[in-house]
Each structure stands twice: as C-alpha cells, then as structure tokens.
Amino acid sequence: MKQRTLGQGLTVSSLGLGCMGMSEFYGPGDEAESTATIHRALDLGTTLLDTADMYGPFTNERLVGAAIAGRRDDVVLATKFGIERGPDGTRIGVNGRPDYLRRACDASLERLGVDHIDLYYQHRVDPSVPIEDTWGAMAELVAAGKVRHLGISEAAPDVVRRAHAVHPVTAGQYEYSLFTRDPEDEIIATFRELGIGLVAYSPLGRGFLTGAITSADQFDDDDFRAHNARFQGGNFAANHALVLQIQEVAEHKGVTPAQLALAWVLAQGQDIVPIPGTKRRTYLEENVAALDIALTQDELAALAKAAPRGAVAGERYPAGNVPRLTS
C-alpha cells in the first residue's frame, strides 16, 4: 500500500477507510461483513481508519475497536468529538467546551479499547466557545499521551489558523470530490501554507460517483441521501447526467467510475488522503485498486469538461445544516 504524510509526520496509507456507514446514515448495517471489511482493509495495507463518537451514536467506535483488537499496531486510528448526541440518537448540538471534550476523549478510548488515539478531530467548531479554549484542552490530551495528533473538520481558514497557533493541526477533514470542490476556494492553499494534510471524506459523492445510483427513489427513509437535495427531483436528474459523462471517461480508461473519481482526488496532491466509506469487501477492493490508476493531463481535462466545478445541483447537506463556518 502506498503511503502519504499528513502534517509534519503522520504517515498513513494513501487511501483510508471511512467506517461511518457501517453503523448509520446509509441504510442497515451488517456487523459481520463490516468487521470482515476492516480486516480485509488491514490485510491490503490500509492503515487509516476513520470513525467518530457520534456515529451510531457510539456503536461505530465499538465496532471498529473490536475489529482492530490484536492489530492495534497496524492502525492509524482517527476519531472525533464535537457533535453531541444522546444515547437514543437525539442530536444535542455542537459542543466544544473543554470539560466536554475531556469526557468525550475518555469515553472514545474506552469504546475503542485503546490507550491512545492517533488522530483526534474536532468534528465541528462550536461558535460559542473560543477555538483557543477548545484547542488548549486538546493540546492537554496530547501532553497526557491520550492523543498523538490533532485534526479539525469543516472549519473556515481563519479558525484553522487560530487553532494551529495553539497546537499544530496535523489534518483537516473536509468533503472533497469531483462533486464537491469547496476546499479549492481557500482551504487547500491555507493547509499547504501551514503544512496541514487534507483528509477527503465522501470522495465518491456519497455514492453518486460510483454510477450505482440510478433513481432518486432507491433510498430508504433512514438513508441520509433520501433527504439530501442532491438526490432529489430535478437536482438528481442534473447530477445523474454528470455521472453519465464521468462514466464515459471511465469506460474509455477501462476503470470503474468509482476508481476514476478516487484517482482524481488522489491526483490533486500528495498531501490529500481520501477516505471512501464502505461496509463491503467487494467495494473496498475496488476502491483500493484506484491507487494504481494514473491520470494523464488529457484525462484530467476530460473530467474537468464532464464535471466542471460548480456544475453539481443542490446543497451537500439539508437546508440549515451546511457545516462550513465563515468565521
């Protein structure tokens, strides 16, 4: 497995594994197959596993922890705090208070069954708490040996700079794909100036870029996409038309649309690590094969024409829930 470096020294596999969908948001889970998928990922050399306390809630960390038991040294384990949920799944809100994050970290360590977290993200920034207060407490977790590296997610550039001044930010996790190009506005330039790696979540456009989604009606009500504007009505039709054009490029290349989409993200820089999520070994192996795909300038140009920036229709989150902070 090829490797890349995040920040100033966290070496990870060039492709990580997002584990969220194994427990929630994308239809029913299958714990046995999910565990087998994690094991297969490790066998293939994938080291970066991504979870969060709010996935499930809480159950995804337990699943990942049980799956890596006995193989801790093979894993760069990333988890998150900051989106507070109750045991019944109720969303309480974004919480960046130092007392809360200390409790959240200890609870994640217990659920994961480990003595340290390799990469601990602030999942969302709490606008009611100065970022310096949150990151001061996060730095204390590093000093205590509970956490090795710190990350941030969906924060605006000035917030990233303020956090980085308190303690180095190793990685920022942002949605980035052929369909979502927002990090190209300011985030990527800011990260490269500061020496921060970008971890790209949803690099397959929440499955849209795989070509497997052909109808807006194929999602159950508990699937996140059933309530996402990009998968509804006229937006779906417009976005599916883009996918068909991407499929044409993939067919010409002799790869799957998913592999092409991942190869595109990988081609955007050695400091970018996509973490496609899957709960099935078949899709995992397909994704990993994207690491062997090199795109020519002509192919990159063809993709730029097939899916130009800004062409995707609809917001990436439900109305009122777009996570990007502006200050």
Side-chain angles (χ1 to χ4, degrees):
M1 174 71 73
K2 298 174 183 177
Q3 296 183 323
R4 294 186 171 187
T5 299
L6 299 173
Q8 300 303 310
L10 181 59
T11 300
V12 301
S13 51
S14 296
L15 197 74
L17 174 62
C19 299
M20 179 186 75
M22 296 175 178
S23 300
E24 194 179 16
F25 300 113
Y26 292 102
D30 181 334
E31 187 165 332
E33 178 60 22
S34 293
T35 299
T37 299
I38 292 173
H39 290 166
R40 181 59 178 152
L42 298 179
D43 292 342
L44 291 171
T46 301
T47 60
L48 181 59
L49 301 184
D50 186 87
T51 182
D53 58 0
M54 65 87 68
Y55 300 160
F58 316 122
T59 56
N60 195 245
E61 286 185 326
R62 294 191 183 99
L63 186 156
V64 171
I68 67 171
R71 301 189 67 173
R72 179 65 179 94
D73 292 343
D74 297 335
V75 177
V76 176
L77 186 58
T79 192
K80 314 176 194 73
F81 79 93
I83 301 178
E84 188 176 5
R85 297 178 70 183
D88 63 352
T90 301
R91 299 204 177 208
I92 298 170
V94 175
N95 193 337
R97 296 193 304 272
D99 60 334
Y100 170 75
L101 84 89
R102 294 185 189 104
R103 295 195 307 273
C105 181
D106 286 343
S108 288
L109 289 168
E110 187 278 327
R111 285 188 292 267
L112 290 162
V114 299
D115 62 5
H116 72 276
I117 295 163
D118 297 300
L119 178 57
Y120 198 40
Y121 290 102
Q122 183 175 12
H123 205 164
R124 294 290 184 267
V125 175
D126 184 346
S128 70
V129 178
I131 194 70
E132 291 80 4
D133 292 355
T134 304
W135 273 69
M138 292 173 71
E140 292 173 2
L141 297 176
V142 176
K146 295 182 179 182
V147 173
R148 298 283 173 83
H149 295 266
L150 300 181
I152 201 163
S153 182
E154 295 285 359
D158 63 316
V159 176
V160 173
R161 291 181 183 278
R162 289 166 56 196
H164 192 70
V166 176
H167 187 282
V169 179
T170 293
Q173 189 172 131
Y174 291 72
E175 184 172 352
Y176 189 43
S177 70
L178 276 166
F179 267 13
T180 298
R181 308 280 289 276
D182 303 29
E184 295 174 1
D185 290 335
E186 295 181 77
I187 284 297
I188 291 177
T190 300
F191 279 15
R192 288 177 175 161
E193 175 192 339
L194 299 176
I196 300 170
L198 175 65
V199 174
Y201 77 86
S202 296
L204 297 177
R206 303 191 184 278
F208 222 147
L209 290 165
T210 66
I213 298 171
T214 58
S215 170
D217 301 321
Q218 69 186 76
F219 306 115
D220 294 331
D221 191 61
D222 62 350
D223 191 307
F224 170 87
R225 294 165 294 188
H227 312 283
N228 184 289
R230 291 186 175 179
F231 295 86
Q232 296 175 354
N235 290 341
F236 181 94
N239 294 333
H240 187 248
L242 294 176
V243 171
L244 292 177
Q245 295 183 76
I246 293 168
Q247 282 183 296
E248 289 185 10
V249 180
E251 289 171 5
H252 188 267
K253 180 73 170 174
V255 300
T256 69
Q259 290 170 335
L260 185 69
L262 290 174
W264 181 88
V265 176
L266 288 161
Q268 304 312 302
Q270 288 293 315
D271 52 353
I272 298 175
V273 176
I275 52 168
T278 184
K279 48 192 172 184
R280 297 181 179 88
R281 284 167 285 181
T282 300
Y283 296 141
L284 169 77
E285 292 173 356
E286 176 185 347
N287 293 343
V288 169
L291 290 168
D292 296 323
I293 298 170
L295 299 178
T296 67
Q297 289 302 311
D298 286 345
E299 289 163 345
L300 289 168
L303 281 172
K305 182 178 180 181
R309 184 177 173 182
V312 68
E315 292 289 344
R316 61 194 182 96
Y317 278 86
N321 196 32
V322 179
R324 183 70 54 82
L325 297 182
T326 57
S327 62

